Amino acid sequence: MTQNNKKNEVIKNSKNMQLNEYRVNNNGQSMTTNQGLRVSEDEHSLKAGVRGPTLMEDFHFREKMTHFDHERIPERIVHARGFGAHGYFELYEPLTGITKAKFLNDTSLKTPVFVRFSTVAGSRGSSDTVRDVRGFSTKFYTDEGNYDLVGNNMPVFFIQDAMKFPDFIHAVKPEPHNEIPQAASAHDTFWDFVANNTESAHMIMWAMSDRSLPRSFRMMEGFGVHTFRFVNEEGKSHFVKFHWKPVLGTHSLVWDETQKIAGKDPDFNRRDLWDAIESGNYPEFEFGVQLLKEEDEFKFDFDILDATKLWPEEMIPVQIIGKMTLNRNTDNFFAETEQVAFHPGHLVPGIDFSNDPLLQGRLFSYTDTQISRLGGPNFAEIPINRPIAPVHNNQRDGMHRMTINQGPVSYHKNSLAGNSPEPAPEKKGGYAHYAEKVEGHKIQARSDSFKDHFSQATLFWNSMSAVEKEHIVNAFRFELGKVKSKEIRQNVVDVFSHVAEDLAEQIASGIGAKATEGKATGVTASSPALSQENSIKTARTRKVAILVDNGFYDNEIKQVLQALAKAGVTADIISTKLGPIASENGAVLEPDYALLTSDSLLYDAVYIARGRTSVDQLLADPKSIDFVKEAFQHYKTIAAVGEGNELLAAAGIKLDASSAADRGIISAADTYDLHAFTKGFVMAIAQHRHWHRKLRS
Ligand code: HDD
């Protein structure tokens, strides 16, 4: 083993090995109290007689109950619902001369990471598929200390100054008088905020777009949002924006589907991530940076310190420099995902802040929130938060202190302990803040360069495909349609009249409001990178529902399953009931789900197998017809063979030989070329959705 490889192994495993210290396995063990005393009885409290009162001296009962009574900690004020996983980061290209961060310079390193994806507005128990921004937080356990990239799946934000964050969050959260609605922005206070705070216009365009409805956490982009700084060995700085690009492409659900999934499987996104990792389909995200020279700071028609602006990729390309792979689920949700504490101010040498006023405010908020959520200042000692780099300082005591610091000295400078721990000079890895020159008056105001609230909202609108535009208009109509105040609805239309006339008109005509002409920015530029339709398309890891019952053709199912598996597509067998089903020649298949416990909402594609008896049984259950109908309405690929085509007809899907394939319907007669059929099926699945299909054709 070379030196580098050895190092690799150590780094790769060190977080996992560190967690080993804390793992507890109860298998084969006797039950004890928290004091280690073996317990002989765990079902009956100690009573004075079998029908008598419970006795106070039952310490096991008291301990069990006290612990239970305190099992919850405050949920996060935002991003309460989330899901985490472990993995590692590998560097393709060293950023030599750009940043001195070691994990971005040494391609032989595998840096352990923990990632938490989240929604923003909902409570911990809310549904995964609501219309919302998704959090995308990554903790890199580097050997220079933890580096946290606490981002979202959208590259901009609602507000420009952190001072407004509590207001914005109050407006989007359930209204305080009745705590309605849960995990939804479709209500009066949110849209009243939007109408009165026009800096939110660009982010609202993203929030009303399909980006708010990710098909999977594995199919979302991630963004650091703010402009940060890279600093090199010589102390020279570049501005930088961070990007995560999913290897499977960026894809979304459709609105009708998300609302129904919220009932059918509120854990849809977290289950998808868990299952993907368990089955070895490790989610992968490439890491990209947009770099800007210090001297180019003022070359743009937007301010790079303004978090409501993105850097168009066509203007400043994203350089892909590495990849993150998520390959391990948590052992325990609470210990890891709930207790993980991210902070945009957890940095390593070579990475620094910009003066973005949103970022500056975040630097205060995150530690503050951890202190109340995690019960004191020692949250960094919780196993998931502990760095793999050694920790030495003079901080002592506090709630839940784990470290047993030795010796009498807890101050700096000292002679008694040889002045240790001693600050490390920059050359020896000590963090030194970038020596930016700053001058100015103390002032509570915003720079004029932050005043353009609409140009990039128009850029975003211009960059959308016709289908994406239609989804945005429908989202506005839905959200504003739920707003009771007519005045607020009109005020919002007035705001979006600044973005684009056709947008404002279409919103207005759906909600009984009026758009005003002549106010729009007139921006004509577009940025193709913003449209999801230009994203990577692949069938890999997509899920197919196979509808089948007794009397199927064994050989056909086997070959289709093989072809799907070869393309990396997973499949579930769904039948009218659970329990083994038999083919026409007696071969047996075990269904994964019955129609009752399944739904096409939970799949990317449907396949209806041939077989007279099989299809007759399916046809006799109306759920199978709804299954196919909804898959069609949600633009999903549907394949049918032989008699299976009758289920298409029963679902009202008329086949038009000239355009059927185009609409993602792969239909075959009894005798057909199986190879060509499966190839066409996989290609159609890779398209994600067949948007041009007309509803209920
Ligand atoms: Fe924040 C959590 C992302 C602005 C204050 N934020 C939180 C999480 C994410 C973000 C992903 C969840 C972390 C996790 O998984 O545990 N926040 C962002 C982004 C922002 C942003 C991308 C803008 C670019 N946030 C923002 C502002 C403030 C906060 C302006 C306050 C000044 N955010 C918090 C917080 C949270 C938080 C209250 C709640 C739970 C936590 O920190 O750990 O401190």
Side-chain angles (χ1 to χ4, degrees), residues 76 79 116 137 151-152 157 165 226 362 365-366 369-370:
R76 291 165 173 83
H79 297 266
R116 184 175 178 273
S137 306
N152 280 339
F157 204 64
F165 191 67
H226 310 282
R362 291 179 77 190
S365 174
Y366 288 71
T369 208
Q370 312 309 351

Side-chain angles (χ1 to χ4, degrees), residues 285-591:
F285 299 86
E286 289 196 307
F287 191 52
V289 290
Q290 283 175 299
L291 296 175
L292 185 67
K293 289 193 184 126
E294 183 107 34
E295 56 268 30
D296 292 340
E297 179 174 2
F298 300 106
K299 281 202 175 151
F300 303 92
D301 59 1
F302 53 85
D303 193 324
I304 64 157
L305 300 184
D306 174 358
T308 68
K309 304 295 185 296
L310 51 82
W311 299 356
E313 291 185 28
E314 294 75 12
M315 211 180 259
I316 306 176
V318 177
Q319 298 175 37
I320 299 296
I321 58 159
K323 188 174 77 178
M324 172 168 76
T325 306
L326 301 180
N327 65 346
R328 192 161 61 80
N329 278 315
T330 54
D331 289 297
N332 183 284
F333 180 89
F334 182 86
E336 297 167 85
T337 307
E338 193 58 10
Q339 294 200 113
V340 67
F342 293 96
H343 192 320
H346 292 165
L347 298 181
V348 290
I351 307 180
D352 209 323
F353 312 117
S354 71
N355 294 332
D356 172 346
L358 193 70
L359 172 60
Q360 295 281 323
R362 291 179 77 190
L363 299 179
F364 167 76
S365 174
Y366 288 71
T367 314
D368 195 39
T369 208
Q370 312 309 351
I371 288 171
S372 81
R373 248 175 46 73
L374 299 171
N378 288 318
F379 57 86
E381 294 190 339
I382 295 173
I384 192 67
N385 296 325
R386 280 187 59 188
I388 57 170
V391 174
H392 297 285
N393 58 43
N394 291 313
Q395 294 168 34
R396 292 291 186 274
D397 311 345
M399 290 279 215
H400 315 301
R401 182 69 173 180
M402 303 288 150
T403 309
I404 303 173
N405 295 101
Q406 295 178 308
V409 176
S410 56
Y411 53 89
H412 176 254
K413 303 169 183 173
N414 67 68
S415 303
L416 286 176
N419 203 27
S420 59
E422 198 177 9
E426 216 182 323
K427 288 244 168 316
K428 289 194 171 167
Y431 187 92
H433 291 269
Y434 178 67
E436 183 186 359
K437 188 172 177 219
V438 186
E439 278 181 284
H441 297 281
K442 286 185 186 171
I443 181 170
Q444 285 199 293
R446 213 169 290 177
S447 164
D448 281 351
S449 53
F450 280 48
K451 281 195 172 142
D452 171 8
H453 297 166
F454 300 116
S455 295
Q456 286 207 350
T458 314
L459 175 84
F460 182 78
W461 175 248
N462 294 347
S463 310
M464 295 293 101
S465 68
V467 173
E468 287 171 318
K469 282 186 173 174
E470 191 183 317
H471 292 175
I472 291 171
V473 168
N474 288 341
F476 270 105
R477 286 179 174 181
F478 178 93
E479 296 265 319
L480 292 166
K482 293 258 186 172
V483 167
K484 293 196 190 74
S485 159
K486 279 190 184 164
E487 198 187 333
I488 294 175
R489 285 189 233 153
Q490 182 58 55
N491 291 344
V492 171
V493 171
D494 290 344
V495 170
F496 287 87
S497 293
H498 290 273
V499 175
E501 271 173 23
D502 56 339
L503 168 68
E505 271 160 24
Q506 289 178 77
I507 302 171
S509 72
I511 58 164
K514 266 182 93 78
T516 0
E517 284 175 21
K519 286 208 266 178
T521 61
V523 169
T524 52
S526 67
S527 166
L530 302 181
S531 169
Q532 294 191 113
E533 284 198 17
N534 299 327
S535 181
I536 297 164
K537 296 200 167 91
T538 167
R540 276 209 300 127
T541 80
R542 294 307 184 121
K543 281 180 77 179
V544 174
I546 302 191
L547 295 185
V548 60
D549 214 314
N550 285 303
F552 61 91
Y553 285 83
D554 186 34
N555 201 32
E556 172 205 333
I557 297 279
K558 257 196 206 138
Q559 293 195 47
V560 171
L561 281 173
Q562 267 169 16
L564 291 177
K566 207 169 148 210
V569 175
T570 59
D572 282 344
I573 305 288
I574 295 165
S575 200
T576 53
K577 324 184 255 317
L578 279 189
I581 54 171
S583 73
E584 35 71 63
N585 63 4
V588 170
L589 202 57
E590 193 68 52

Side-chain angles (χ1 to χ4, degrees), residues 37 166 174 197 258 322 484:
L37 175 74
N197 297 272
T258 59
K484 293 196 190 74

Side-chain angles (χ1 to χ4, degrees), residues 161-174:
D161 189 315
M163 182 74 131
K164 289 165 78 90
F165 191 67
D167 301 289
F168 164 66
I169 295 299
H170 286 171
V172 68
K173 282 272 182 182

